[in-house]
Each structure stands twice: as C-alpha cells, then as structure tokens.
Amino acid sequence: MATRKTFINPDNIEISYLEWNQGQIPLLLLHGMADHGLVWGKLGNYLQENYHIIAPDLRGHGNSSKPEKGYFTEDIINDLEALINHLGWTKFHILAHSWSAKFVPIWVTQKSDYFLSMTLVDPFYINKLPNWMKITFPLLYQVLPFLKMTGDFPSYEFAQNLAKTLKQYQGWSDFQQEVFNYSIQQNDNGIWSSKFAIQARDEIFTDVMLKAGLTQKLNIPTLFIQPEKGLNRSNFQIQPFKDYLPNLTIKKVPSNHWAFLVEPEPFNKVIKEFLAQN
C-alpha cells in the first residue's frame, strides 16, 4: 500500500505525493490536468514489489499548493526536479498521462540523462497550435469532460452524480469512488469544490496548446499507450511520435482516455511488460 507524504520545495511550494517503496527501481507517475496522484493507485499496487514509485499531486492539484500563478512547463519541471533531488534519484522511469505526457518530452529533451524510459499515456496534441486558437479556449473549458468536475458544487451528492456521467468514472468501481472522493473537498462555508485550482487552468492550457512537446529526436525507450477510445486515433496524431522517437513502442489498450481508471488490469499489464524490458 502507498503512504502519503509531503515535500516543500525551495520556492515554498508544498507537493503532496504517494509513495510505494517496497521495490528498488525508481518510477515517477504523473497525472493529467485536473486529476491527482491517486489515479495511479491500482498501477502502484500492481508494480510495488519491484519499483520505488512516486505519484505526486502536481501544483494546483489534489493536496499540493495552489499559487495564484506559475503553471507553465518550467514551473512544473522545477517542482519535479526538486522532488527527485529530495528522493536522491539520479535515474528513473517516467510515466505521464494527457497534459503531463505533453510536457514530459520537453523535460526529457532538457535532461535526458535522468530517464531510463518514458511512457506516454494518450497525450494531448503534441504539436504547437497557432496563437489564434487561444480564443477557442473558453469553449473548450465548457465541453471538455475532465473540466466538468472543476469549480463548486451545491452538494456532495450533486458532485457524485455528475462524476458518474463522465468517461473517467465509467463503471464506478470502488477505486473510482476513492479517486473521486479525493478530488473534492468541503469548504468552511459548507460548499463542496474541486481540489483543482481554477487559476491553473488558463496557464496550463496556454502552455500545452501553444508549445510543441517534441522538437528533436529522443533515443529513450518510449511506450505510447493508445486507448481504443482515446484522444489519439488518427495517423496524423501518431506520426510526430514516430518521427521524433526512434525507440518507440505503441500499444493499444481497451477503454478511453482514462484506461487506468476504467479498465486498469490490461493497462497495468502492458506497463509492467514494457518496464521489465527496459
């Protein structure tokens, strides 16, 4: 089982994280936008015998600090480098989902010596979008399913019923219930709200959509997870990964963008097999 711990970085940002420390091989698990480290609960339990696993709540998420600004790639990477230095890690495997799978290749480009392997789980669009696309962001905020659980809710029951309609909670297992419960909190005024900081949304969107994630070839062993009903279904979406990642393995898994929540068993098996080879 995991232990929840807290680390305060040199910028006084508090990072809450889960740790499985039975194994010796370092593995860092990064969640997507508006999620938190507990989404990796099933995977952490599955791999814990052989790996020393860390799954942080990135700044603005979960129980970590929520500053008014500072949610660009360089801010997140600074937090993560402080965390791995605190852990004493010099080389590690990294797995990232969605938003994180967009900025992790940037980190690998900057500091390739850190990484034993890279797993990208259904990344956001990896290329750079034109600046004019920013005017469409308010519409995206309204329609994207992972942002429907942000903001305030009139009651716990209202939030739970809304969650049950979303793709990440399809099937509503005990594990998904646990993930949902951690994602919201009751404030002093009695109102329930998401733990995802709304002030993080605009900076993250600007950073993810207007910055290219891959800009040069990376020889690191890379696994690309392609859920059957995920974001990356077309050849043009996959082609940049083939162009920039010569040591690339693509594996399809059942379910949607949140395969690790909806159908974790086949997802976890694919991850274990890849890591064992690298």
Side-chain angles (χ1 to χ4, degrees), residues 26-47:
L27 171 61
L28 183 63
L29 307 178
L30 302 182
H31 62 78
M33 183 178 174
D35 282 335
H36 49 74
L38 186 57
V39 299
W40 304 117
K42 288 283 189 180
L43 180 62
N45 290 342
Y46 186 74
L47 297 175

Side-chain angles (χ1 to χ4, degrees), residues 165-184:
T165 70
L166 302 179
K167 291 180 178 180
Q168 59 265 50
Y169 294 114
Q170 183 180 332
W172 199 253
S173 65
D174 290 344
F175 173 49
Q176 289 166 309
Q177 174 86 61
E178 184 182 3
V179 168
F180 164 74
N181 286 342
Y182 184 77
S183 72
I184 64 172

Side-chain angles (χ1 to χ4, degrees), residues 25-274:
I25 305 169
L27 171 61
L28 183 63
L29 307 178
L30 302 182
H31 62 78
M33 183 178 174
D35 282 335
H36 49 74
L38 186 57
V39 299
W40 304 117
K42 288 283 189 180
L43 180 62
N45 290 342
Y46 186 74
L47 297 175
Q48 64 182 332
E49 183 177 348
N50 295 317
Y51 296 90
H52 179 192
I53 304 167
I54 299 293
D57 298 342
L58 300 176
R59 64 164 64 195
H61 298 74
N63 286 353
S64 291
S65 292
K66 299 170 177 62
E68 286 302 312
K69 57 184 179 179
Y71 295 94
F72 291 98
T73 291
E74 54 269 24
D75 302 307
I76 306 300
I77 289 175
N78 285 341
D79 289 347
L80 293 172
E81 291 194 351
L83 177 59
I84 64 171
N85 288 335
H86 167 72
L87 295 167
W89 288 5
T90 56
K91 279 188 172 292
F92 54 95
H93 298 279
I94 192 165
L95 179 151
H97 173 237
S98 195
W99 157 56
S100 293
K102 175 69 180 279
F103 72 71
V104 159
I106 298 174
W107 190 15
V108 175
T109 300
Q110 296 171 355
K111 300 285 181 68
S112 61
D113 288 346
Y114 279 156
F115 302 96
L116 296 168
S117 76
M118 174 171 66
T119 298
L120 305 176
V121 182
D122 207 20
F124 257 21
Y125 184 62
I126 198 70
N127 289 328
K128 179 180 179 180
L129 292 175
N131 284 310
W132 64 263
M133 287 290 293
K134 193 170 182 180
I135 64 174
T136 69
F137 288 1
L139 175 62
L140 290 173
Y141 297 158
Q142 295 178 36
V143 301
L144 289 173
F146 63 88
L147 292 179
K148 291 186 181 295
M149 286 304 300
T150 60
D152 295 333
F153 312 101
S155 67
Y156 174 88
E157 290 73 20
F158 180 94
Q160 180 176 264
N161 288 334
L162 175 59
K164 288 180 177 180
T165 70
L166 302 179
K167 291 180 178 180
Q168 59 265 50
Y169 294 114
Q170 183 180 332
W172 199 253
S173 65
D174 290 344
F175 173 49
Q176 289 166 309
Q177 174 86 61
E178 184 182 3
V179 168
F180 164 74
N181 286 342
Y182 184 77
S183 72
I184 64 172
Q185 60 190 356
Q186 188 172 29
N187 304 316
D188 293 340
N189 60 6
I191 296 294
W192 289 86
S193 63
S194 167
K195 290 183 182 179
F196 174 59
I198 201 68
Q199 66 266 26
R201 184 189 62 192
D202 291 353
E203 288 189 7
I204 291 175
F205 251 82
T206 299
D207 192 50
V208 171
M209 304 297 277
L210 304 182
K211 181 181 291 182
L214 285 169
T215 55
Q216 64 186 59
K217 287 188 182 295
L218 301 173
N219 290 318
I220 180 174
T222 301
L223 173 63
F224 186 101
I225 296 290
Q226 186 182 24
E228 292 176 351
K229 299 177 182 178
L231 301 178
N232 295 276
R233 304 189 203 181
S234 303
N235 289 335
F236 83 91
Q237 294 170 298
I238 305 296
Q239 193 59 48
F241 299 95
K242 295 180 178 178
D243 292 340
Y244 286 101
L245 300 168
N247 199 357
L248 177 66
T249 300
I250 299 175
K251 290 288 187 179
K252 291 188 177 181
V253 297
S255 191
N256 59 34
H257 188 58
W258 292 271
F260 46 87
L261 288 178
V262 180
E263 294 194 48
E265 290 185 10
F267 177 91
N268 293 348
K269 182 179 179 182
V270 168
I271 301 301
K272 184 176 183 178
E273 289 174 352
F274 173 76

Side-chain angles (χ1 to χ4, degrees), residues 7-28:
F7 165 70
I8 300 176
N9 75 12
D11 297 324
N12 206 35
I13 298 294
E14 184 175 303
I15 301 297
S16 178
Y17 64 93
L18 291 172
E19 181 176 37
W20 293 259
N21 62 359
Q22 291 183 20
Q24 298 298 315
I25 305 169
L27 171 61
L28 183 63

